[in-house]
Each structure stands twice: as C-alpha cells, then as structure tokens.
C-alpha cells in the first residue's frame, strides 16, 4: 500500500484512486489464474506464456471498490532498479510489457493493455 502511493500509481490508472491496500498471496493467485484465462480467451496470439514474465501487483480503491493494478514484463529484461519495490514502466517494448486491472469483488480483469512496438 505504501509503495503504490510512492510509485505514483495514479499516473498509470485511468480511475480516481481513493486509497491503497496490499494484496494478499490469495489475491495474487486469483489474479494470476484469472489472467491466464483472460489471455487464453482474448490475447493468446499477442502475449507470451505468463511464466515468461515477472509481475508486480498494487492494490487500490476507487469509488469504494478494491482493484489490483498488475504490471508484467519479460524475465529477460535486466533492470538496474529493484523491480520488486519500484514500479517498472517503459515506453514501447511490445508484448514484453503489459498491464491489467483486476476487479477484486467481481474477480475479473476489467482492462488489459499491451505496450506498443518502438
């Protein structure tokens, strides 16, 4: 929760953010399972297997509902920063980078965005 605010998550989410919270491992597991199904149904030709990605998850509240912002990036990228505590954001990069928003109450992905090619 503290890190989400510090990382300026509000710059990456097109929703008003009321507050932040820390997702549990069970929340992350649900996001992962739901993301696999979502990708298979909608983006199978555009996104690599999730095992090829590192991922970051940030909980936030908008209009009283809990959401999780999910940030995925290829394992092969070697970032100078500590990716586990700093939000990774790049321009372009293609399908090595994608982001999604998970609605906790509905247990569904409400948006998914794949970076463009440079």
């Amino acid at each position: 929760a503290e890190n989400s605010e510090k990382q300026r998550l509000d710059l990456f989410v097109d929703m008003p953010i009321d507050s932040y919270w820390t997702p549990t491992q069970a929340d992350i597991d649900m996001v992962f399972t739901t993301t696999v199904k979502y990708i298979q149904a909608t983006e199978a030709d555009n996104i690599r297997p999730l095992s090829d990605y590192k991922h970051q998850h940030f909980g936030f509240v908008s209009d009283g509902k809990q959401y999780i912002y999910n940030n995925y990036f290829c394992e092969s990228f070697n970032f100078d920063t500590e990716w586990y505590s700093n939000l990774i954001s790049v321009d372009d990069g293609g399908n090595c980078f994608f982001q999604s928003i998970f609605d906790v109450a509905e247990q569904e992905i409400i948006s998914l965005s794949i970076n463009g090619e440079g």
Side-chain angles (χ1 to χ4, degrees):
E2 302 159 8
N3 204 22
S4 296
E5 188 168 14
K6 184 174 106 181
Q7 298 299 318
R8 294 300 316 264
L9 186 62
D10 59 316
L11 298 175
F12 302 95
V13 175
D14 193 24
M15 303 166 74
I17 296 178
D18 304 327
S19 62
Y20 299 94
W21 62 281
T22 302
T24 65
Q25 186 59 52
D27 294 323
I28 302 307
D29 293 344
M30 178 57 68
V31 167
F32 192 83
T33 300
T34 305
T35 301
V36 169
K37 291 176 186 174
Y38 186 90
I39 289 170
Q40 289 172 344
T42 64
E43 299 290 346
D45 295 334
N46 298 320
I47 295 179
R48 303 165 189 215
L50 280 189
S51 59
D52 288 355
Y53 296 89
K54 291 181 181 175
H55 41 99
Q56 301 174 308
H57 308 279
F58 301 90
F60 68 96
V61 175
S62 180
D63 292 329
K65 290 183 70 176
Q66 287 186 316
Y67 297 93
I68 302 173
Y69 176 82
N70 310 287
N71 189 32
Y72 297 87
F73 49 97
C74 285
E75 285 246 9
S76 60
F77 275 81
N78 187 11
F79 292 99
D80 292 335
T81 184
E82 296 176 345
W83 68 269
Y84 50 86
S85 60
N86 294 308
L87 179 64
I88 299 299
S89 174
V90 299
D91 292 330
D92 303 321
N95 70 355
C96 250
F97 301 89
F98 72 95
Q99 306 76 38
S100 70
I101 296 178
F102 178 78
D103 181 323
V104 175
E106 300 297 324
Q107 296 188 349
E108 66 181 5
I109 303 293
I110 61 167
S111 72
L112 187 137
S113 175
I114 303 169
N115 284 28
E117 294 289 338

